[in-house]
Amino acid sequence: MKLYRYLTGPDDANFCLRVSEALNNGWELHGGPTLAFDGQRIIAGQAVVKEAPGQFSRDIDLSQF
């Protein structure tokens, strides 16, 4: 099955670590990063995708992959 996640958060070292962790767990970048301003800080976003065994279900916990 194909899985998709969109990681978001303040544009800081913690966000970069979350994306790095996903990459090291087999996720791949999907497109470029996005940036938005919420009136106080810059919010970053990055889509990631992964091919995983099994059948898709809406009950899947994507953080477990």
Side-chain angles (χ1 to χ4, degrees):
M1 77 180 130
K2 293 182 181 183
L3 300 174
Y4 171 92
R5 290 178 71 186
Y6 189 68
L7 305 171
T8 62
D11 185 21
D12 59 13
N14 187 52
F15 176 77
C16 294
L17 288 172
R18 289 178 54 222
V19 173
S20 295
E21 180 180 32
L23 294 174
N24 281 283
N25 285 328
W27 293 85
E28 296 182 19
L29 298 177
H30 183 73
T34 59
L35 296 174
F37 184 65
D38 71 359
Q40 296 179 349
R41 60 190 175 184
I42 296 174
I43 304 298
Q46 177 63 60
V48 292
V49 294
K50 184 176 187 177
E51 213 31 77
Q55 288 281 69
F56 176 77
S57 167
R58 288 187 174 267
D59 298 327
I60 291 173
D61 180 359
L62 294 174
S63 67
Q64 299 301 310
F65 286 91

